[in-house]
Amino acid sequence: MDIANTPEADAQAAAPKTPPTIRREDYRPPDWLVPEIALDFALGIDETHVTATLSVKRNPAGSGERTIRLNGDNIAALSVKVDGKAINDWRMDGDDLLVDLSGDEHALTVETPVHPSSNSQLMGLYASGGMLCTQCEAEGFRRITFFPDRPDVLSSYRVRMSGDKARFPVLLSNGNCVAEGASGDGTHWAEWHDPWPKPSYLFALVAGELVANHSTFTTMNGRDVSLNIWVRPGDEQRTQHAMDSLKAAMKWDEEVFGREYDLDLYNIVAVSDFNMGAMENKGLNVFNTRYVLADPETATDADYDAIEGVIAHEYFHNWSGNRITCRDWFQLSLKEGFTVLRDQLFSADMSSEAVKRIEDVRVLRAAQFPEDSGPLAHPIRPDSYQEISNFYTSTVYNKGAEVIRMMRTLADFGAGEERFRKGTDLYFSRHDGEAATCEDFVKAIEDGAGLELSQFRLWYSQAGTPRVKVRLSHAGDTATIRLEQSVPPTPGQPDKLPVPIPLRLALFDRDSGKHDGEQLVIMDKAQSELSFAGFAKPPVLSINRGFSAPVAVDADTPAEDLVFLAAHDDEPFARYEAMQSLAVQHLVAAVGGGMSESQRAAEREAIAKALAAILDDASLDDLMRGELMILPAVSYLAEQLLVADPCALNAERESLKAWLATALQDRLTEAHDRASAVPYSRDADARGARKLKTQALVYLAAGVPGEAAARAAAQYDGADNMTDRQGALMVLCGLETRARREKLVDFHQRYNGNALVIDKWFSLQAGSLHPEALEHVKALAGHSDFTLQNPNRVRSLYMAFAGNPGAFHAAGGEGYRIIADLIIALDPINPQTAARFVPPLGRWRRIEPSRAGLMRTELERIAAVPTLSRDTLEQVTKSLG
């Protein structure tokens, strides 16, 4: 039927255009390579003129195509030259520039104007507070100049920049500065050369008024490296922790992975407007300011830890991402999963290995487990995408790290040698200078560590969190463990095969409280059975110790055994897991209905007994004690149910917290008093005391709000550091007390003008337990300090709100409308940031029916916007199914 001039035609014209789907199976090598590129920038805030000269060479592995396709995005060519001669027969195919080439090698020159000040997407070349900077991963380089913008095209870059010296006194790019000078007309210039071939997504340029914290590092082979952390004038005093973290990371990578830095210069630049955390551009990392700037007055202990981890992560990318990059974007976990593991191991070595492991698992369960069970589930090596920016996910990063960690466990557990290191050494030597694949990495570990990983490769191709059912029985003197695994269906993958699951386990003697040693069991079948002799009484099972596999375990462990493990398990994560399981089992059963008052009382008494043992245990350090006190998050509790009522879960969790506070009030106040006497320092004991202090207040606020408010106000007033001040204000934000209002006003006045701290001010209110939190968010959206133009500020308010179960899921669906309105308003400004707010709504199938319908309605309203970006459209379409 011809639908022209019909209502159907109008609807079709108004509907968002479905972007093409890119599939991994369709990968083909590039037809043209670009061994060298020279870039010339005439810099300006409103308009920058870019001249790019590409030395192109036909790829013998290509298809023989004579036409070169140069990707573009919202740019126009002023002129095109081939071998120095202007041509007119170039043409456009959508955003891409096509040029027919007759020979096998050519010099191709393209001139383009770009407009940094109007680039609100913060991709490509953009302006941030009067300076110019770039973000090119994944496909931002095509917003600067026309280029085959794919990660398997590796080029050596020469860059020349010129601009007004007063406005752009510092000119930075990748590699080493090889020449610089002044032009006599108030402008100056600099030339940079990066000798290491890299993909276009690693290109970087920064120009502006900056000052540096400068230091040096001498590598293990005697290379002196100049280190600079560039910030706006006035911020340099808050960069020393970042510099110390960089040096520690460089030394650690030499010692643990044998990786040495390969340039004479390493620059980091902190910018205020940034979509991500940081970017590993070769020799010129660009960072979000929140991962660089810190001092005790403005940064919490968590901020210090995050800076240390992110600084290390981007540095480690020099080898796991830059020297060896990705063949295509489906291989993103090749660099990100491996590098996340490397930064986790580094942070564990720098602080508490046990606490770091717990923190990493908490992040995985809060973000990746829900992703794996929702409409956006995908393997760590995806099979298709419409917008690659949507695949910078917890699955690719955090689950990817866990999968590689499992390989490390398989290689090194009980081996007496670092076989995993042999595998990574082989990977680095075998693929240095290449654009590699996940399969290349697995093969190198397999060959170097002497493993057989054929079945293990399923972890890369199957989505979903495996579930392991564990049942322990006892007869005579033998304990029997029966294991069953299943991987739930996910979009496009209804049927799954069993995967190899390495499970560290120990069987405790009930009387002695000890075990005969830890074992590693590889569960590679749907069902397995293991028998252990020598137990006159039923033992207590500790399984998945150290979280040796990223799986959900259903062990049906009796409460008395969990109390035993919470008190006696010698593996820190297993002790934490026992405490979590006690709370999870109780809370899930409580919201399910049918729990008698006697059962409720008995289960709460068991949890209180375990928590009291934690508070009383003198052998525990306070960092670990603070971790063990944290109740499971509502998002993790919801994962235990097929369909959840988040508000009911939140209410039951708060009720349990209040009961525990009343039952253990004396212990909690004593813990707060003891921790408050520890003076500020950055050592582990002092950091642990601050964590304990805040956790004690969190409990007291739920059960003894008057006591908590008085203590929190006093802690706020006496604080000499941000950790204590923020912890106190967080507790006050959830209470209806005069101190809440007074301290919020004081906090804003005290830190007015410090953007990172004002972000905290927004987040604390949006994420609070206050019954009027939703109304507070609506008011804050109209505050003079709020803007949609800055991703940090947007996330500080709305991501905190979307993670607040009581407010976001409030009856009537107003929380859902707030997020949908945000997405619609933000999408034309910054689609990458807007798209990241879709997943909270996309969980609608796992939410009870009345709220699910409201969430779906908001997704449909977003989907109806005719100008929706590719980023947001893909997320919304998949969420609606």
Side-chain angles (χ1 to χ4, degrees):
M1 178 181 71
D2 184 358
I3 63 171
N5 301 315
T6 67
E8 289 87 348
D10 293 339
Q12 181 172 310
K17 182 180 178 182
T18 301
T21 297
I22 312 301
R23 302 186 187 280
R24 182 169 58 89
E25 65 185 11
D26 293 334
Y27 171 82
R28 299 293 181 273
D31 291 318
W32 292 87
L33 304 176
V34 187
E36 296 181 353
I37 178 173
L39 294 167
D40 192 311
F41 291 85
L43 301 172
I45 289 288
D46 295 323
E47 180 172 304
T48 290
H49 190 92
V50 184
T51 303
T53 300
L54 289 62
S55 298
V56 301
K57 182 178 181 180
R58 188 180 306 284
N59 184 5
S63 67
E65 173 64 51
R66 291 279 176 186
T67 300
I68 187 170
R69 176 179 292 271
L70 304 177
N71 305 118
D73 182 2
N74 200 33
I75 57 174
L78 296 177
S79 69
V80 180
K81 297 178 182 179
V82 175
D83 298 328
K85 297 180 181 179
I87 63 169
N88 296 315
D89 59 349
W90 56 273
R91 58 199 183 278
M92 298 298 296
D93 180 18
D95 285 327
D96 296 346
L97 179 104
L98 306 183
V99 180
D100 298 327
L101 299 174
S102 58
D104 291 339
E105 297 186 25
H106 294 278
L108 183 59
T109 303
V110 184
E111 296 183 48
T112 55
V114 293
H115 304 93
S117 61
S118 60
N119 182 359
S120 65
Q121 294 188 28
L122 311 185
M123 288 293 289
L125 179 66
Y126 65 93
S128 175
M131 62 187 288
L132 294 176
C133 55
T134 57
Q135 170 59 30
C136 293
E137 188 176 359
E139 296 177 340
F141 192 71
R142 64 186 64 188
R143 294 174 61 83
I144 297 173
T145 189
F146 291 98
F147 192 79
D149 190 14
R150 45 188 289 173
D152 57 351
V153 175
L154 308 182
S155 310
S156 174
Y157 280 67
R158 289 188 178 275
V159 178
R160 188 182 194 278
M161 295 170 280
S162 61
D164 184 274
K165 187 171 184 178
R167 186 158 206 173
F168 308 118
V170 175
L171 304 174
L172 304 172
S173 191
N174 308 89
N176 298 314
C177 185
V178 294
E180 56 186 339
S183 301
D185 57 354
T187 65
H188 70 142
W189 56 270
E191 293 181 357
W192 292 76
H193 176 231
D194 184 358
W196 297 100
K198 64 177 179 284
S200 52
Y201 80 83
L202 290 173
F203 168 76
L205 175 155
V206 176
E209 184 180 2
L210 297 162
V211 294
N213 178 355
H214 172 74
S215 190
T216 59
F217 179 83
T218 302
T219 70
M220 59 186 181
N221 286 315
R223 178 196 289 269
D224 290 327
V225 182
S226 177
L227 309 177
N228 297 288
I229 298 181
W230 298 90
V231 294
R232 297 187 187 282
D235 285 339
E236 59 270 29
Q237 298 304 315
R238 293 194 284 154
T239 61
Q240 191 56 46
H241 176 64
M243 181 63 80
D244 294 341
S245 299
L246 175 59
K247 291 181 178 180
M250 296 176 81
K251 185 174 187 293
W252 183 91
D253 209 21
E254 291 181 345
E255 295 173 347
V256 177
F257 281 92
R259 301 299 103 193
E260 182 180 22
Y261 190 60
D262 53 8
L263 288 169
D264 300 327
L265 180 63
Y266 192 92
N267 283 319
I268 291 174
V269 180
V271 299
S272 301
D273 302 293
F274 204 67
N275 285 336
M276 301 182 182
M279 182 61 212
E280 70 267 19
N281 316 298
K282 182 76 175 182
L284 177 56
N285 290 183
V286 179
F287 270 65
N288 191 318
T289 49
R290 67 177 297 187
Y291 295 113
V292 171
L293 303 179
D295 61 20
E297 174 63 21
T298 60
T300 65
D301 292 335
D303 294 330
Y304 273 87
D305 291 344
I307 289 168
E308 180 181 72
V310 176
I311 289 280
H313 181 96
E314 305 309 325
Y315 174 75
F316 297 154
H317 265 314
N318 186 59
W319 277 91
S320 51
N322 297 1
R323 286 284 288 264
I324 306 175
T325 191
C326 303
R327 185 196 72 178
D328 54 63
W329 290 119
F330 299 104
Q331 319 299 328
L332 183 59
S333 195
L334 171 74
K335 72 183 186 78
E336 295 301 348
F338 186 27
T339 305
V340 168
L341 175 64
R342 276 152 53 74
D343 82 54
Q344 290 176 349
L345 297 175
F346 165 76
S347 295
D349 283 349
M350 296 300 105
S351 183
S352 166
E353 181 179 0
V355 170
K356 176 59 178 168
R357 188 67 186 128
I358 292 169
E359 291 173 346
D360 292 338
V361 175
R362 185 184 298 119
V363 169
L364 187 82
R365 286 173 167 172
Q368 198 280 320
F369 275 24
E371 190 171 88
D372 237 354
S373 64
L376 302 176
H378 56 275
I380 62 174
R381 184 188 58 205
D383 293 318
S384 66
Y385 64 81
Q386 293 174 343
E387 171 52 59
I388 185 55
S389 295
N390 289 332
F391 279 92
Y392 285 75
T393 62
S394 184
T395 295
V396 167
Y397 279 65
N398 302 92
K399 186 177 180 179
E402 293 298 325
V403 168
I404 298 173
R405 186 187 288 266
M406 284 191 289
M407 285 190 257
R408 181 172 178 260
T409 298
L410 292 170
D412 291 353
F413 186 89
E417 58 178 326
E418 294 185 351
R419 295 196 298 165
F420 181 72
R421 167 66 187 273
K422 292 181 179 179
T424 60
D425 284 351
L426 180 60
Y427 169 68
F428 288 126
S429 63
R430 182 181 282 178
H431 297 289
D432 188 14
E434 294 181 3
T437 65
C438 294
E439 172 57 27
D440 291 330
F441 181 84
V442 176
K443 180 62 175 169
I445 300 299
E446 193 171 48
D447 293 345
L451 298 174
E452 207 294 305
L453 298 173
S454 297
Q455 186 186 8
F456 189 88
R457 287 169 168 83
L458 289 169
W459 281 100
Y460 280 87
S461 59
Q462 290 188 169
T465 302
R467 300 184 178 278
V468 179
K469 182 179 179 180
V470 183
R471 294 296 180 266
L472 174 67
S473 61
H474 180 265
D477 69 343
T478 300
T480 301
I481 301 174
R482 293 178 177 84
L483 303 170
E484 296 180 14
Q485 69 158 291
S486 61
V487 185
T490 53
Q493 294 186 341
D495 302 311
K496 308 294 177 68
L497 295 171
V499 293
I501 300 175
L503 296 170
R504 290 166 48 193
L505 63 85
L507 289 165
F508 281 82
D509 178 81
R510 292 178 182 274
D511 296 331
S512 69
K514 298 180 180 180
H515 61 83
D516 290 335
E518 185 178 81
Q519 300 185 44
L520 180 68
V521 172
I522 312 301
M523 183 188 183
D524 55 6
K525 299 179 176 62
Q527 297 181 343
S528 302
E529 185 172 302
L530 308 167
S531 295
F532 302 87
F535 291 95
K537 296 180 180 179
V540 178
L541 174 63
S542 172
I543 194 166
N544 205 25
R545 292 157 65 85
F547 200 71
S548 56
V551 299
V553 175
D554 168 19
D556 195 28
T557 307
E560 62 184 285
D561 287 5
L562 292 174
V563 173
F564 174 95
L565 293 170
H568 300 293
D569 205 316
D570 58 347
E571 200 288 307
F573 176 81
R575 189 173 184 181
Y576 163 83
E577 186 74 329
M579 190 66 197
Q580 293 288 292
S581 296
L582 266 175
V584 168
Q585 290 181 9
H586 170 72
L587 292 170
V588 169
V591 298
M595 177 181 284
S596 67
E597 284 304 312
S598 61
Q599 181 184 358
R600 180 187 295 270
E603 292 186 1
R604 286 185 168 184
E605 288 289 350
I607 296 170
K609 180 180 179 181
L611 183 56
I614 289 166
L615 290 167
D616 294 345
D617 189 346
S619 68
L620 273 179
D621 64 77
D622 283 339
L623 272 174
M624 187 65 183
R625 195 186 321 275
E627 286 296 328
L628 292 172
M629 291 172 68
I630 299 173
L631 290 174
V634 170
S635 61
Y636 181 60
L637 293 170
E639 280 299 296
Q640 316 309 309
L641 300 166
L642 193 59
V643 175
D645 180 340
C647 288
L649 284 169
N650 188 57
E652 193 64 46
R653 184 179 186 272
E654 290 306 305
S655 175
L656 172 62
K657 195 194 299 179
W659 187 90
L660 290 170
T662 303
L664 302 175
Q665 181 177 354
D666 290 345
R667 283 183 170 90
L668 291 167
T669 55
E670 187 279 329
H672 188 266
D673 289 341
R674 176 176 64 78
S676 297
V678 178
Y680 180 86
S681 78
R682 287 283 304 139
D683 66 28
D685 288 343
R687 288 187 290 119
R690 290 190 290 277
K691 176 175 281 191
L692 175 62
K693 196 187 313 185
T694 295
Q695 289 307 314
L697 280 180
V698 166
Y699 276 94
L700 291 169
V704 199
E707 173 81 8
R711 285 177 173 270
Q715 179 173 309
Y716 181 96
D717 290 337
D720 61 356
N721 64 88
M722 179 55 71
T723 305
D724 282 348
R725 181 165 283 121
Q726 178 177 301
L729 187 59
M730 175 191 68
V731 168
L732 289 171
C733 276
L735 301 173
E736 186 51 62
T737 171
R738 186 175 70 179
R740 175 187 182 277
R741 297 184 290 275
E742 291 175 352
K743 304 313 178 190
L744 279 170
V745 170
D746 177 81
F747 192 90
H748 188 274
Q749 292 176 345
R750 183 186 298 259
Y751 299 108
N752 190 27
N754 186 318
L756 293 178
V757 183
I758 297 302
D759 286 341
K760 298 176 185 295
W761 185 79
F762 278 94
S763 290
L764 289 170
Q765 296 176 77
S768 84
L769 293 170
H770 196 284
E772 298 298 318
L774 189 149
E775 294 301 319
H776 296 160
V777 168
K778 289 161 63 178
L780 288 167
H783 194 279
S784 58
D785 284 342
F786 185 76
T787 173
L788 289 179
Q789 301 294 324
N790 180 265
N792 281 355
R793 188 55 46 85
V794 173
R795 288 187 289 259
S796 72
L797 178 62
Y798 286 108
M799 202 58 83
F801 171 68
N804 183 339
F808 177 61
H809 292 287
E814 188 171 8
Y816 310 144
R817 288 193 293 276
I818 287 173
I819 293 300
D821 287 343
L822 167 70
I823 293 168
I824 292 169
L826 185 59
D827 189 64
I829 300 170
N830 190 327
Q832 188 177 127
T833 301
R836 295 190 177 275
F837 285 92
V838 175
L841 292 172
R843 299 286 300 158
W844 63 273
R845 288 179 182 82
R846 298 291 302 275
I847 304 299
E848 56 84 19
S850 62
R851 288 181 171 85
L854 297 171
M855 296 169 81
R856 182 183 174 94
T857 296
E858 296 305 324
L859 286 169
E860 290 170 341
R861 183 162 67 91
I862 299 167
V865 175
T867 56
L868 210 59
S869 71
R870 187 172 64 183
D871 308 61
T872 302
L873 179 60
E874 180 181 27
Q875 296 286 78
V876 172
T877 302
K878 288 182 176 180
S879 295
L880 286 169

